[in-house]
Amino acid sequence: MLKWEENVDLTGYNSFGMHVSAKYFATFHSVEDLKILDKPSNENRLVLGGGSNILFKNDFDGYVYSNQIKGIEKVAEDANYVYIKAGGGEQWHDFVEYCIAHNYGGVENLALIPGSVGAAPIQNIGAYGVELKDVLFELEAYKWSDQQIHQFSAAQCKFGYRDSVFKNEYKGEYVICTVTIKLNKVPDFQTKYGAIEQELEKMGVKDLSIRSIADAVINIRRSKLPDPKQIGNAGSFFKNPTISEEQFEILKQQYVEIVGYKVESGIKIAAGWLIENTGWKGFRRGEAGVHPKQALVLVNYGNANGDDIYQLSEEIIISVQSKFNIFLEREVIII
């Protein structure tokens, strides 16, 4: 039976492990559930998937909806592609494993990214040279204002770097219920980004496959990113900033080892390098800190609160701006 619970502990619903609560909390498994649980638009609402990209600074004074819409199925195919639809409540990595098991290529570089399928388009998740926008065919989203399902193509999602229409003009207006991904029958291997080729060599891989690429990505991620089940974190806390080529050349004269690569709008700089080179890597204050293996990851060692993490991120932003004249933007959503 669908019902709203009161004063529910959200510690297990956010990967930072923040000890906060929701005034009201309910789980939905279908669009019909959403319609029944729908509340007036003047109420605070929050939809949670895996809670892996959120920092709670306070208790949530409103209605929290936990997306548990499940199911993965092939809905179409043609000569070159298969189209797989997944419920927004599925875990993203489980979806990746499903695709690999069926030899469908395209998402293997996105292995082990935490969070849910429904949250993936909001953030336009990406890793190792692949972004969700490269594989998304369409999605279905429930609109609070008319209680109807609306379809969005990849173009209509207006994807950007860790960005989409759902983080901007449509923020808070929709719940992503299903996502349909377009996958290759004949894999197009992407191994040039990051340390994938070195890891494959280390693994002794002779015959390249989507399984071996996924395993290489998993190995790399596990070697430098903490498991949220052991240390509270939300993965990369900051976006990699983009600067002009002119600014990059000036910085390169002073910092020859600065890490950057060319993109359409300029040079994208590794935020982790900037943070490490302002002395923050491995920093710890009380229960909040910067991970010793990856400076891009802020961590809760046990009993930090959201404000502890937020204030640490503020100090990092100020110090990077002061030293490099580069502004760091948070990737994590602050609640």
Side-chain angles (χ1 to χ4, degrees), residues 16-69:
F16 258 118
M18 290 300 157
H19 302 302
V20 293
S21 64
K23 187 174 182 180
Y24 303 104
F25 179 91
T27 297
F28 64 93
H29 297 85
S30 67
V31 173
E32 290 67 31
D33 288 354
L34 263 180
K35 290 179 179 179
I36 294 168
L37 293 167
D38 202 346
K39 289 293 176 183
S41 59
N42 61 343
E43 299 285 357
N44 287 332
R45 288 183 297 220
L46 175 66
V47 179
L48 277 181
S52 61
N53 197 48
I54 286 177
L55 174 64
F56 282 101
K57 289 179 69 179
N58 300 290
D59 293 337
F60 190 78
D61 185 23
Y63 294 84
V64 172
Y65 298 74
S66 175
N67 188 345
Q68 294 297 322
I69 296 177

Side-chain angles (χ1 to χ4, degrees), residues 43 103 107 129 160 182 198 223 227 229 231 233 237 244 269 273:
E43 299 285 357
N103 203 34
V107 293
K182 180 181 177 182
Q198 297 95 304
S223 71
D227 184 348
K229 292 174 183 173
I231 303 175
N233 74 93
F237 197 91
S244 68
I269 306 295
W273 186 92

Side-chain angles (χ1 to χ4, degrees), residues 24-318:
Y24 303 104
F25 179 91
T27 297
F28 64 93
H29 297 85
S30 67
V31 173
E32 290 67 31
D33 288 354
L34 263 180
K35 290 179 179 179
I36 294 168
L37 293 167
D38 202 346
K39 289 293 176 183
S41 59
N42 61 343
E43 299 285 357
N44 287 332
R45 288 183 297 220
L46 175 66
V47 179
L48 277 181
S52 61
N53 197 48
I54 286 177
L55 174 64
F56 282 101
K57 289 179 69 179
N58 300 290
D59 293 337
F60 190 78
D61 185 23
Y63 294 84
V64 172
Y65 298 74
S66 175
N67 188 345
Q68 294 297 322
I69 296 177
K70 302 290 189 178
I72 302 175
E73 62 175 329
K74 180 168 73 175
V75 291
E77 69 177 297
D78 54 34
N80 300 311
Y81 303 102
V82 292
Y83 299 81
I84 308 297
K85 179 187 278 191
E90 291 285 351
Q91 289 302 298
W92 174 258
H93 183 65
D94 291 344
F95 173 73
V96 171
E97 288 291 346
Y98 173 95
C99 296
I100 292 169
H102 289 81
N103 203 34
Y104 302 147
V107 293
E108 56 276 6
N109 291 54
L110 304 178
L112 212 62
I113 292 179
S116 66
V117 167
I122 298 172
Q123 190 73 359
N124 184 26
I125 60 170
Y128 301 100
V130 176
E131 290 183 309
L132 188 75
K133 69 177 179 63
D134 302 323
V135 295
L136 185 129
F137 178 67
E138 68 179 15
L139 62 82
E140 294 176 322
Y142 173 86
K143 190 173 185 179
W144 293 113
S145 62
D146 65 11
Q147 295 195 326
Q148 298 297 313
I149 288 290
H150 297 255
Q151 289 187 321
F152 288 80
S153 66
Q156 289 171 322
C157 292
K158 297 182 183 178
F159 288 126
Y161 172 56
R162 301 297 175 272
D163 201 16
S164 74
V165 72
F166 302 105
K167 286 183 76 173
N168 297 294
E169 60 195 270
Y170 293 155
K171 184 177 180 180
E173 292 186 24
Y174 291 88
V175 181
I176 297 175
C177 297
T178 68
V179 174
T180 301
I181 303 294
K182 180 181 177 182
L183 297 149
N184 300 305
K185 287 185 174 180
V186 178
D188 177 22
F189 302 128
Q190 302 292 327
T191 62
K192 299 297 182 186
Y193 194 95
I196 293 179
E197 289 184 338
Q198 297 95 304
E199 184 63 29
L200 288 166
E201 188 175 336
K202 183 177 164 186
M203 291 162 59
V205 172
K206 298 289 188 285
D207 297 315
L208 204 55
S209 66
I210 57 175
R211 176 74 268 170
S212 61
I213 291 174
D215 286 343
V217 168
I218 289 168
N219 290 347
I220 295 167
R221 291 184 72 90
R222 283 181 173 159
S223 71
K224 63 182 185 179
L225 296 173
D227 184 348
K229 292 174 183 173
Q230 296 175 6
I231 303 175
N233 74 93
S236 300
F237 197 91
F238 300 97
K239 296 180 181 181
N240 291 322
T242 299
I243 63 174
S244 68
E245 292 186 42
E246 292 77 16
Q247 186 180 0
F248 180 67
E249 288 306 318
I250 292 168
L251 285 170
K252 200 160 180 61
Q253 289 174 22
Q254 190 174 357
Y255 308 100
V256 291
E257 73 283 8
I258 190 170
V259 180
Y261 57 95
K262 192 169 175 55
V263 293
E264 254 182 62
S265 52
I267 304 293
K268 188 166 282 186
I269 306 295
W273 186 92
L274 296 170
I275 297 165
E276 183 173 347
N277 282 273
T278 43
W280 289 102
K281 189 176 184 181
F283 174 87
R284 178 170 178 173
R285 182 192 295 129
E287 298 289 276
V290 180
H291 197 258
K293 290 186 179 179
Q294 173 52 269
L296 202 51
V297 179
L298 304 191
V299 295
N300 172 16
Y301 284 106
N303 291 305
N305 61 41
D307 201 55
D308 295 333
I309 301 291
Y310 183 81
Q311 291 304 324
L312 176 57
S313 74
E314 278 284 283
E315 292 177 47
I316 290 169
I317 289 170
I318 290 167

Side-chain angles (χ1 to χ4, degrees), residues 10-11 21 302 323:
L10 295 178
T11 305
S21 64
K323 183 171 184 176

